[in-house]
Amino acid sequence: MRRTLTMAAVAAAALLVAVPGGPLPVARAEAGSVVAPAAAGRWSAREAGAFWTAERMASAIPLPPVLPVPPESAELSEAAEPMDPVPPVDPVDPATPATPVTPATPATPVTPATPVDPATPVDSVDPATPVDPVEPADPVTPVVPVPSEPVPGATPATPTPVGTELPVPSTPPAATPTPVPTRTRTPSAPAPAPAVVPRLPALTPGVGQNFDGVPVAGRMFLVKGGGSYFCTASVVSSPGRNLVISAAHCLTGSDTQQVAFVPKYTKAKPQPYGMFPVLRDAGGRSRIWIDPRYRSQGVDRAATLDVAFAQVGPNARGVPVETVVGGNRLVTGAGYAHAKVTLIGYPSTAARPRLCANRTTKFTSADARIPGSFLRINCTGYPGGTSGGPFLNRYNARTGTGDVVGVIGGWKTGGDKSDTSYSSYFGADIRKLYEKAVAGAKASR
């Protein structure tokens, strides 16, 4: 994100070598942090765990401010098929609801979000920050709906089936996975604890606070130019139970290597559910799906496409990530205005993630260099590192999941102030990218 860096990040950023119009900044490796280039092919949980030690994870820093991204060859993008040009605004036609990718049966209404205490002010928007009027939300169209309790007084939507029916993800089970057979005498990794959904602390709208995290969200660790960095990512429900979602600006660049997702990371408990490596293809490229227009046009011109999906392998015991911690439902075409969105991110050098809840509004950029409309939320204390953090609508305290309607990114890669965050709008382009990731992940198995 283009936000004020902490003193640690400023010191690290001072070592950056940035060439105007060139590649992403390259960090000079500090003593003891030099890493070898990614090997083609295999990158397993055990290899990722050996590389991403607790010490290296704790010393990783947020990615520095991002320079415009130069065009990359199509072979570096899993989503290499041409798409339409980026529109200046990603409008939502209220008369034409977005086409969902759902089973043919009517979707079950989603459990409503936990109501805000009536005694608590509805919002805590900084009066100095202009906020657009709240618009009525367009019909929510979940890509992968999950059965839940009915919403009182609500009328269930009847989606139109499209394409292949996707399986309905289940509530994350407290299963005891079967260990993967091994030919060595090395003791297997200890079994991760079943995903226990913690009770969230009481929140004042718009006021962020650090907390112990939720299983479905975590840090995404990566190496660029020999430096160790992180962003935020979360699990998104998919047929293969193996996809995570983050911001595209976190994962661009052919020098992005040794990528791994660690759900519910904290400094005190760095791997409560294990480590899930972002898989590589035979050429050594990480299996990450980013719209090719984002790669070719850069973080500003294509800010409305600042979303990435990544395929992660199982943990050291051979269990897929969604089976271990659950997954959020991807929702597209839901509009910009939501009464209550839960925002999760890993800020800067903090030892724990950050939590906030507030309403979202529509923000349309007046800067011709960064065209488009974005979701905007006022939540205090979301600097660098929180990029890729999920915007969760209708968060369900029982399952610890919600409808992911955005990720921190988009306008100025998430915003230029730590108290206001942005997201690319999840419309038809993001749904198409998700479908490519699902198909690509299936083909690689």
Side-chain angles (χ1 to χ4, degrees):
M1 315 177 105
R2 297 180 189 168
R3 298 187 171 176
T4 303
L5 300 177
T6 62
M7 293 304 295
V10 169
L15 299 175
L16 295 177
V17 179
V19 181
L24 290 171
V26 177
R28 294 173 184 165
E30 300 175 356
S33 65
V34 178
V35 298
R42 187 167 178 79
W43 170 242
S44 69
R46 285 189 173 86
E47 290 166 329
F51 179 84
W52 287 110
T53 62
E55 293 75 16
R56 177 170 269 149
M57 287 191 286
S59 65
I61 63 173
L63 280 171
V66 182
L67 293 178
V69 181
E72 297 184 22
S73 61
E75 66 178 1
L76 296 179
S77 172
E78 294 286 352
E81 295 181 12
M83 296 186 183
D84 299 329
V86 179
V89 179
D90 191 355
V92 178
D93 185 355
T96 308
T99 304
V101 181
T102 53
T105 55
T108 305
V110 181
T111 304
T114 305
V116 179
D117 187 346
T120 304
V122 174
D123 205 345
S124 61
V125 178
D126 183 352
T129 304
V131 178
D132 299 327
V134 177
E135 304 175 355
D138 296 331
V140 176
T141 57
V143 172
V144 185
V146 171
S148 57
E149 300 175 3
V151 180
T155 302
T158 304
T160 304
V162 175
T164 304
E165 178 175 335
L166 298 181
V168 177
S170 58
T171 301
T176 303
T178 303
V180 176
T182 177
R183 295 178 182 271
T184 69
R185 295 178 180 274
T186 305
S188 60
V196 177
V197 179
R199 184 172 181 176
L200 299 186
L203 297 172
T204 298
V207 179
Q209 60 178 287
N210 292 350
F211 77 127
D212 288 333
V214 293
V216 79
R219 274 191 182 188
M220 181 77 92
F221 291 96
L222 60 136
V223 166
K224 278 182 178 288
S228 299
Y229 300 99
F230 72 87
C231 278
T232 303
S234 58
V235 183
V236 61
S237 288
S238 67
R241 309 182 72 81
N242 58 359
L243 290 182
V244 297
I245 185 171
S246 187
H249 73 264
C250 291
L251 298 171
T252 53
S254 57
D255 62 337
T256 300
Q257 302 173 350
Q258 278 88 9
V259 191
F261 173 66
V262 182
K264 203 184 175 185
Y265 169 88
T266 63
K267 188 174 181 180
K269 296 181 178 179
Q271 291 190 51
Y273 301 109
M275 182 172 292
F276 299 85
V278 172
L279 298 180
R280 299 173 182 163
D281 63 18
R285 295 178 292 264
S286 296
R287 297 192 61 77
I288 296 168
W289 287 264
I290 295 172
D291 192 299
R293 292 171 292 177
Y294 192 84
R295 296 182 183 276
S296 62
Q297 298 180 25
V299 299
D300 286 341
R301 180 62 187 167
T304 57
L305 301 170
D306 191 3
V307 180
F309 295 96
Q311 181 185 1
V312 296
N315 62 13
R317 299 185 65 84
V319 187
V321 65
E322 191 179 338
T323 300
V324 177
V325 301
N328 296 314
R329 297 161 297 279
L330 178 70
V331 173
T332 62
Y336 298 85
H338 302 281
K340 182 180 179 182
V341 162
T342 300
L343 189 67
I344 299 172
Y346 280 81
S348 186
T349 56
R352 299 188 298 164
R354 195 161 182 84
L355 176 71
C356 179
N358 208 348
R359 66 189 179 101
T360 61
T361 56
K362 182 179 182 179
F363 168 79
T364 299
S365 174
D367 188 340
R369 297 168 301 176
I370 316 174
S373 293
F374 307 85
L375 276 72
R376 176 173 60 188
I377 187 170
N378 289 288
C379 275
T380 60
Y382 283 76
T386 58
S387 288
F391 283 55
L392 296 180
N393 193 32
R394 296 186 173 93
Y395 177 81
N396 187 317
R398 179 178 58 84
T399 64
T401 62
D403 297 341
V404 57
V405 296
V407 295
I408 296 177
W411 189 74
K412 293 190 176 180
T413 61
D416 53 1
K417 297 178 181 178
S418 62
D419 294 344
T420 303
S421 298
Y422 299 82
S423 169
S424 301
Y425 177 69
F426 280 18
D429 286 327
I430 305 307
R431 185 176 68 248
K432 184 176 180 180
L433 185 65
Y434 168 81
E435 291 168 352
K436 285 179 176 290
V438 168
K442 181 179 180 181
S444 70
R445 288 187 293 174

